[in-house]
Structure formats: structure tokens, C-alpha cells
Amino acid sequence: MIPEPSAAAASRSSEKNANSQAEATSSGAISPSEDESGNENRQKSVRRRRRACSISENVKSKRARASGSSVRRARGKRAKEKQVEAVTLFEVITMGKSAIQAVIDDWIEAYVTDRDASLLDLISFFIQCCGCKGAVTAEMCQSKEDKHVKSKMVEELDEAVGLQYKRFLAFPWILTVTWPMDADSAEYPLVQSRPSGRWFHSEFCDFVSVLVAQCQHSVLFDSYLMNSLISLLTELSNSYVRAFRHTCTLAAVKLLSSLLSVALSLSVGIENSQKLYNVQRTKTVRQKTQQLERMQKKISELQEKRAEVESMMDVIFKGVFLKRYRDMLPEIRSVCMEELGLWMKLYSSSFLNDSYLKYMGWMMHDKVPDVRLKCVLALQGLFGDPVLLPKLDLFISRFKNRLISMVLDKDNEVAVQTMKLLVLISRATDDVLTSEDYKQLLQVVYSSHRPLSATAGELLYSRILSAAAPTSDNQDERNEEDERRRQMFDRLKALLRFYQEFELHKHVVYLVDSLWDCGGSLLKDWPTLTAALLQNSSGFTPAEQAVIVEILVASVRQATEGPALVGRSGAKKIMSNREKKIQADDCLKLTEHLFSVLPKLLSKFSCSGDTVASLMRIPQYFHPDSQEAKNTQSVSSLMTEMAAVLDLHSGPAVLEAAARTYLSLCGDGAAWAVAAGASRDSLVQRWVDRLTEKIGESLRRGCFSAEEDETSQIVATLKKLRAFHNCHDLSRWNVFELLSPLLTEDGSLGGPSPEVLEEALQCMSFAMLWSLSTSSQTLTCREKAVAQRLQLRLFCDRSYRCLSHCNHSVKNQAFLGVCDVLTAHSYQLQVWDPTCFGPLLYTPSPKLQRALLTFVCVNVFVVPDGDNQSRVSESSEVERLEELHRRRNLLAAYCKLIVHGVLETSTAAEIYTHYVKHYSDFGDIIKETISRTRQTDKIESTRTLVLCLQQLFVQLKREQESGGRAHSGVQTFTCIKELARRFALTFGDLVKFRECLVMIHRNGVEFVFQEFRQAPDNATPPYLSYLTILSEFSNKLLKPDKKAVLSYLQKHTAEHIIDLREECWQPLIYYRATLLAVAEMEDAVSYVSSDRRPGLHSRSPVSKQKLEGYKSPSQGRPTEQVTKVNKPSFSHSSQVNPGDTDPFSVPPELHGRSFNMAATVLGINGESDDGSVDIEL
């Protein structure tokens, strides 16, 4: 707290001194910091710089006297007879609102007695709330008009002593606050991350509100308290220190809000007094004249007080809000906008006009979402009050386009609240939003964020209700049920009109989900929806009835599964008990109604494939505990109609829906399971018999021959078997043995059509998958295991033959079938129970492995030429994405074989070669394959990476040696080097993969030097350039491993004569440099060339220090020596010991040129003028 100045100081303050050191001659100081010694040191520094006045000697005694007279600890009842401990106002806010009110009452009493001391206590409170732990000095100021006062109002930094200070006028005080320079980076109470910081905001705001509320009948209008407080908050809110600016801006706007409440109460008092005055004036008694005068005087006093409060509000608005509503701190802008909305709503007579609304419109363009959100929430409060709507006409006409654009805000909460605001505007006024505006807004019902789409659904549903026909007044001709159904039909027609006329997305399920919360009464009215489909007099066209069927199916799914849709986020993941009960009741209701109505719908729409496919999905959502399930007649009728539909249709949508529906109905626990199972078995038996007859007739002459009609019947029956075999186990019908003769026919001799082969392959693959998945129950003896392995081998052999078929679809299906079956077989071997008889191992033949790899390389990694690229650009984007999805599925199926150990890891080398070239399409799949294989065997996985690089390099060398035209499949040296860099990035944990990285380098050195025999016509190894590719892995080696690899390299090069004057040895120099370069910011080229150039004397001092501190990891010498090496020293006749000579001497021609990697590959030679060179050892 700030103590009041002494009496002597106060008397001296009236005298003016000519000395410029002390304009105000009285001062008092306090230090709210907990470390008093640190504050004293800072105060001494301030005094040395003459930026503060001396501290009072009796700070402690005056603080106790001031606090004891102004602040009391309030816990429970305030008992004056008890001893109450004195605390600061800052500590009071931790006690709750009741304690705040009690202490403020005591403070008001102390203020009446000694207002200077109490005011200083209040000033100290606000400074402490800013988190300031520095020293505060107070000086008396005689007059605001003093010409030297403004020159003292400064805010500066003192870097010499590490302090910053601010001096400002809070009349009658000149306050000087001194604090450390790093205080701005500390957490002040408003932004503390601890739990205490969350409630400090509310307690601080309550303190300001209670202070104004308790003072409004006493000291609020004394022209001293509020002037000083407003001056204090205005000055501190303009500080460049974040803590002062944020805290005091919050206090100032809350103070204005509290004053607004006072003004409202005064307005109510004035209105009541005026009403009473008018009543008294109507009386004719003359004795009432004095009473009227008193009432008129009271009205005048209240009006003067209101004018004074409004003046205070105007000062705060101009002094704080206008400067801070565009502050760089988003929290301050949010506070300003939130309070401005409150002012306009509560005190609309003064604040709700265009002069204040413009700030709200401007800040809707703020870049921070929270500021925009506060503006939208404030506007919701304004548009929600019908009385305020006439004053918002100009605002909405000016900023309507901005509000509509904010519906697509990147922040979901801002977009949702903006849509809610537009819903309020649409309900309040009819002429603000045009038809074009509605068309733009209603598209949001298809948004991927569910809260936003649900809010847009409210807007759409309100439009549907307004478009519906009004209720007829004549109730005699039609009963109440017919009238209600007519209204539902009108709303349904309006919804269909929106769906068809707006030409938006064709996703009925997302439209139903958006309307579910607000339009449940329409969407859950299943009797009305089915009546619209069954009644011929309903007035709906066939196209509209098809949409109604989709709405019906979507509403059934929504009622049973909830709002969990693919691609839509923001839905509740956990349902409450009430929601679960509503969902169960809805499921029972729809089951009771649709179980008896669905057969009629299937019968009516049996000729429409799309419509009947949607209707066939409805039984999947039936509740098994429904009473209707026990009605055998209804169950039999439903099964009969479903079988009739399957006899008519063989489309994939109908067959898939029927297979899944039968799977749901045949589940355990349902009353209709037995009837559904019998119906399914009857259908499958009928299809198998028909297929047996047709295939037998077609193969009667030893080869497949069938008419076109018979072929179409075989294809249709195979499609039905394939759809049901995908969901149901049909092993007892021996589908595999039935269809295997179709695959023995040679297509070149007029065998089965491609459609027959494709469907047969799918059925046989499903049969194998079911056999493998149920092997734990079926494999009870060795004979069955052998039979299963023979069946697996037969399927793989048949599929291998189909891989060379002329039809592309047949080849794709054969490839996918083999990959799926082999992957399932691998999984079967991993999970079988050792205590039981297990399956027998099957390994695919080498020719099948080669065929699979060839198929992937030819059909997946396709490089389109120019003409093909132009055709792709002209085709639709959907077709291009579908083709890419098909190719990704093929690659993923093959990579699964490698990951699960069906194929050797080395077979992935050919796949890895396309990693860079096709990274955008297949990079994620190849990268995941590398990761999975590394988890299984990191050494073998690393060998595969090395094999991939070496294969590409050998292909490149052969292409260069042949001298022919460049082949499109051969990658350039730059691509291979980039591939090596990508491979190196996959090694994250260097310690974990230390052995793998060393193996890469050892293998690379052996690849270059192992079989090399030096001869006059063969001076360098043919694969020496591979060392440049290998250098991409050098930065992944640890320092000890670099030393080991360097020694291994020297071991392989010691027996060769290396003439480094020829540029063909440059890859060796570069690779060695990468092993020696250990500085973090130094690359291999700078290490080899730049450090030895004669013109290096201009190197910066920092670079010189790095070079002087360099130490080679392969040699223990602290410094590097420069040796002169002559040309003859490399010959066989040299008398120098080869072991003492460094074979990696750098020829002088390399000093004057930079390293050219292309020259390294092409083997460009250069001549030197000098026979010696300076090298580093």
C-alpha cells in the first residue's frame, strides 16, 4: 500500500522551489514486493539517477495505520468487538464476494475519515493487480495546470540498472512506479496458467462492480474519488507494459459498465419521481406546493447526477476504449468488444447508434477469431431484442455482406455463432436477406462441421415452415388427422423443392442430419413419409418419391445410429441417458410401423433398382425386441418380397444391400433369425443349382461354349453368389469346386468371357478367405489341412494363368485375389493355436512371385506420355481419382505380402526405386512399407535399401556404357542421389539404427572396391561414382562410426595407386570429406576445396575460430599439418613406404575450381600446371 505523506511533507508541498530536481516537494513511497531488500536496491539505483524521491522512514508504521483504518479481513460476520487482522485490498479478492463487500464498506468509512490515505490504498490495489512488484512513489501535486507537470509524465527504460519506470498524474498525486525490465514477460494475475488465474478475473471484476455499487449513494459524486481513479486507469491503460495495459483496460471498461448500472438506476429514479410529480400536480390542494418543489428539486438532483455519471462514462470511453479497442493484444480487443455490446444493449439511449456500432462492424474484420466471436455474440444480444431492431437498420445494410461471408470463417465457433445471428435476423425481419443471400447461406447445411450445418438447418426449416400452406379454417370437411397430414405434405414438398431447385450437393443423408435437431417432427413422422409413397393421390412425382425414399432411409439410420457420419465432425461422441432412451423408443416405433409397410413398398418400387436398393437397407436398423418381430405373417411377407426383388435385380447396389440385410436379420437373438436364415439358404441353393446346370451345359463338349443369353444368366448368378459370399459363409455349397473348371479353360481357345472369369475369381477368392478364417474350427485332422493347402495351391496356379489374360479387369481381379488369400494365409499361420492341429505352410512359387512383381511395375507405376496427359486433363477429375485409387489398392495389396513375410523383403527393392518419381501418388505407401519391414528385421530392411540404390546405379552405368538412346525407365544420377537422401531421412534414431548405417557404408565400400583390379587401362573402379551417393548417409553416422568407416575405406584403398590429380577420383575425395567433416555448419565441399584456397585470407574471424578448433575424428592430433606432396611419390618406384603416404592427396587443379558433381559422373579430366599441392592430414 502507498502511505500518506507526512504532515511536514504536506506543508512543504505548498512552497515552489526553483530547483528543477523537485517540482513537488512532498513524497511517500512503498514497495509491495515480497523481497524488500531487492526493492531497496532498486530504489537506491533510482535515487542515484535522480528519478525518484526519498522514501519515508516510517513506512511500516504508516502502512499499518493506513491499512488498519481502511481494510479489515472479513470472514463470517463482522464483529467490531473482535480483533481483526489488517490485510491489503489485493488479498481481499481471494475471500469471495461477501468479503469484498464487507471490506469495501470499511474502506468507504475510512475514506470519509481520511480520503488521501484510503485513495492511496486503492491505487496500490490496482497496481498490485497488474502484477507489479516494484516500488511506487507518490508526490503531491498542487494544480493540474502546472506547466512542469506534463514534462514529468514519462515512461522510460534504464538499461544500465535493469529498471523501467512510469510517472503519471492521478490528481492530486504524481505516481512513479519502478519495476524490473523483465516484468513484462512474467505472468501477471490475469493470464496466470494456474487455477488461481481463472477465478482472479471474475473476482477482480466483482471488486470494481461492488466498489461502484457501494459508493453510488455516498462518495461517488465527491469529484475526487472517481477523478483520481479514472485518471489512474487511463494513464496505466496507455502504458507499453502489457500487464498494466491489460489489467487497467479491463478495470476501466468494467468501471464504465458499473457506472452504466448507476445511470440506469438514476434513470429509473427520475422516471418514478416524474410520474409521482405528475400525479401530485393533478391535485388541487394548495398545500401541496412545497411538496412539488421538493420533488422537482429531487428530480433536478437526479438529473445532475446522471449527467455527471454520463460525463464519467464519456471520459472513460474516449480515454480508454478509443485507444485500446485496436490494441495489439487480442485479449484487450476482446474485452473492449464484449463490454461495448453490453453497453449498447443496457444503455441503448446513449450507446446504440451508428457512432458506436461502427466499431463493432470494423472489428468483425479482426484477424483473431476470439475478437470476431465477441462481436458476433454482442450482436446476437442486440438483434434478439425487438425493441432495438429499428436502430440497427443502417448497420445491417452496411455490414450484411461481411456477416454472410463470416459463415465460412476458418474458426468453426465464429461460423456457428454468425449463422445463429443470421437466423435471428431472418426471424426478426423479412426484407433484409434476399433470395440470393438465402441461396448462399442454405448451402451450409452440407458443411462438414455438424454444429454449423445444424444451425443452417434451423434457417432452412424456418423457411420450410414459412413456405408451407396455412391451416384451413374449415374443419368440418376433414378431420384433424387429415389436416395434420396435409400440413406435413406441404412441408415435405417445400423440402423437396429446396433439394431439387437449389442444385446443391446430392447428399440426402447429410441434409437429414442437418435438419434432425430442429425438424425431428417432420423427419420422424414415418407414417406420413410412407403414406406419401403408397398413396397415389398424394401428388408426388416419381422423382420426388425417389427422394422421399432416400429421406426415409436416412431418417431411419439417424434414429438408430445417431449423428455419426463419415466426413462430418463436431457431433457428440457420448450420448446421455435421456438421448439413449429417445433413440431406443424411436427404433421401436419405426420397427413397429415399417415391418408391416416395407413389403408393400418393395412391391410397389420393385422395378426401380436405385429405389429398391435403398429400401432393402431399412431392415438392418430394425429392433430385435419389437413385438412385430413375433408376427410370422409379417416376417414371411418381408422375406418373400426380398426374394422377389433379388430375382429381378442383379445390380451391385441391390445385391450388396440385400446381403448385408440378410446378415443383420440372421444374427443371433432376433425372433426372425430362423425365418431369415431359411430364406437365405433357399436363395443360395437355388442359385447354386442354376449355376451347376448352366456350367455343366457350357462345358459338355470339353470347352466352354455358351450363348449370349446363357452367359448373361451365368454372370448374373455369379454376381449374386459373389455378393452373398462376401458376407456369408457358403462353404457347405462347395462354390470353389463348382467354379474351378471355369479357370482351366484357355481364353485363346474361346473360353469363358471376361465377365465370367472376373466373377468366378472373386467367388473363389471369397471361398478361400472363408476357408482360411474358419480353419480353427474346420481343421481337425491332417487330411483336411492337406486338402486346404492343395486348394490354396490350385487357386494360386489358376490366378497365375489369369495374370496373363488379355482383359485388364481379369488381371486386376486375379492379382488382388492372390494377394488377399496369401495375406490371410500368413495371418492364419500367426494366430493358430499350437495345441490344436495347425495349417500347413504354403510358399508361392518363384514364377508367381515374379509375375506379381511384374504386374505391379507395369500396372501401378505408369508414367503417362504427352498425349495421355492431355487426355487425362480433358477427362473428368472423378475418373482420374478413381484410377489412382485402383492403382494404390494394387500397390498396397502387394506391399502387404512383403510386410507379412509372404515375400522376401528384398523383393521390395524394385518398389523402392519409384519412391521419388511417384512420391505424390504412392509415397505414403512405400514409406509405411519401409517402416513396417524395419520393425520386423532392420538389417534385412536396410539391405533392401542398399540393393535398390545399387540396382539403379548399375542400370545407369550400363546405359551410359551402351551409348544408346536414354531409356525412360533409367533414372538419372541426381534422382538416385535424391533417393538416397530420402532413405537417409527415414533413419530417425541414430543410436537405434547405428548398426544399419555402418552396414550401409561397409556394403557400399565393398561394392566399389571389392572386385576391382587396377590396371593401366583400368585406373579407377567402374563404380567409383557410387561413393557420392553413399555420402548421403554420412551425416547419420556417429563420430566413432565415422572413424571405423574411414579405417575400412583406407583398408580397401591402401593397395591401389590413387592419382588424385585426375578428376575421376573426385567421388573418393568427396566421400572421405563427408566422413571427416564434423562441424555442424560445414559441408563436404567446403571442407575439401574452400579451406585450402590461397584466397582464403579474407575468412571471417568466426570461421577462423571454427577451423582452429577443428579436430579430425579419425586422428588424435590436435592440429592439422600441411604437407607438400610431389607427383613421383605415387609411382611404384617411389622409395617412400606406402603405409606412411596418404593416398588421398588433392591435386592442385582442384584448388582453383569448385566441385562439379556432373563432371564427377561424366569423368571430365583436368590438367595441372604444378606438380604439388597442399593437403590436410
Side-chain angles (χ1 to χ4, degrees), residues 815-874:
F815 177 84
L816 292 175
V818 169
C819 292
D820 292 341
V821 170
L822 292 178
T823 303
H825 176 62
S826 174
Y827 181 76
Q828 176 196 28
L829 295 175
Q830 296 174 6
V831 301
W832 71 281
D833 188 2
T835 60
C836 302
F837 192 85
L840 298 179
L841 176 64
Y842 170 75
T843 302
S845 61
K847 64 177 183 180
L848 178 60
Q849 296 185 27
R850 289 193 299 269
L852 293 176
L853 180 59
T854 303
F855 181 86
V856 171
C857 295
V858 173
N859 294 276
V860 174
F861 302 107
V862 180
V863 181
D865 52 9
D867 297 336
N868 191 19
Q869 187 68 23
S870 63
R871 289 195 298 269
V872 170
S873 61
E874 294 172 0

Side-chain angles (χ1 to χ4, degrees), residues 314 530 632 719 744 750 965 1034 1118:
D314 186 64
T530 54
T632 57
K719 287 182 178 180
T744 60
R965 182 181 177 183
S1034 298

Side-chain angles (χ1 to χ4, degrees), residues 73 487 883:
R73 186 180 300 273
Q487 292 180 3
E883 176 65 19

Side-chain angles (χ1 to χ4, degrees), residues 690-752:
R690 183 186 307 167
L691 199 59
T692 303
E693 179 184 357
K694 295 296 181 181
I695 293 177
E697 293 177 356
S698 302
L699 298 175
R700 183 175 302 172
R701 299 179 181 178
C703 62
F704 185 87
S705 61
E707 300 294 336
E708 184 178 354
D709 294 340
E710 294 180 354
T711 302
S712 61
Q713 293 179 11
I714 293 175
V715 171
T717 308
L718 285 174
K719 287 182 178 180
K720 296 174 183 179
L721 273 180
R722 184 253 305 164
F724 272 71
H725 214 339
N726 187 20
C727 300
H728 305 266
D729 184 10
L730 308 182
S731 301
R732 54 178 170 166
W733 282 277
N734 298 324
V735 178
F736 187 90
E737 288 78 5
L738 175 63
L739 301 179
S740 58
L742 294 175
L743 301 183
T744 60
E745 296 296 324
D746 190 359
S748 61
L749 300 178

Side-chain angles (χ1 to χ4, degrees), residues 964-1108:
R965 182 181 177 183
H967 192 268
S968 59
V970 179
Q971 300 189 24
T972 63
F973 188 85
T974 305
C975 293
I976 301 174
K977 194 169 182 293
E978 173 64 18
L979 180 61
R981 187 187 70 84
R982 298 283 184 93
F983 286 165
L985 293 177
T986 60
F987 294 95
D989 191 349
L990 301 183
V991 177
K992 180 180 179 181
F993 301 110
R994 180 179 182 181
E995 182 182 359
C996 300
L997 293 168
V998 172
M999 188 267 293
I1000 291 176
H1001 287 271
R1002 292 173 64 93
N1003 191 294
V1005 172
E1006 293 173 359
F1007 175 71
V1008 175
F1009 291 101
Q1010 191 170 19
E1011 298 181 357
F1012 172 64
R1013 296 294 181 267
Q1014 197 171 31
D1017 57 343
N1018 190 18
T1020 60
Y1023 297 154
L1024 185 65
S1025 300
Y1026 182 77
L1027 293 178
T1028 305
I1029 299 173
L1030 191 61
S1031 63
E1032 294 294 333
F1033 297 92
S1034 298
N1035 61 340
K1036 297 294 182 178
L1037 287 172
L1038 301 178
K1039 291 183 180 180
D1041 296 337
K1042 286 187 176 181
K1043 181 178 179 181
V1045 172
L1046 185 62
S1047 302
Y1048 193 73
L1049 177 65
Q1050 292 176 347
K1051 175 183 176 181
H1052 281 75
T1053 57
E1055 58 184 10
H1056 304 302
I1057 299 175
I1058 301 176
D1059 191 355
L1060 298 183
R1061 291 171 300 177
E1062 297 183 4
E1063 195 168 350
C1064 58
W1065 289 101
Q1066 181 180 354
L1068 179 60
I1069 304 170
Y1070 184 83
Y1071 177 59
R1072 178 178 178 269
T1074 59
L1075 297 177
L1076 293 175
V1078 296
E1080 294 181 358
M1081 302 304 294
E1082 183 178 10
D1083 59 358
V1085 176
S1086 64
Y1087 182 82
V1088 174
S1089 60
S1090 301
D1091 294 351
R1092 307 174 185 80
R1093 296 163 69 175
L1096 197 62
H1097 301 290
S1098 61
R1099 185 183 292 273
S1100 64
V1102 178
S1103 301
K1104 290 181 179 180
Q1105 293 175 5
K1106 291 182 179 181
L1107 292 176
E1108 292 172 359

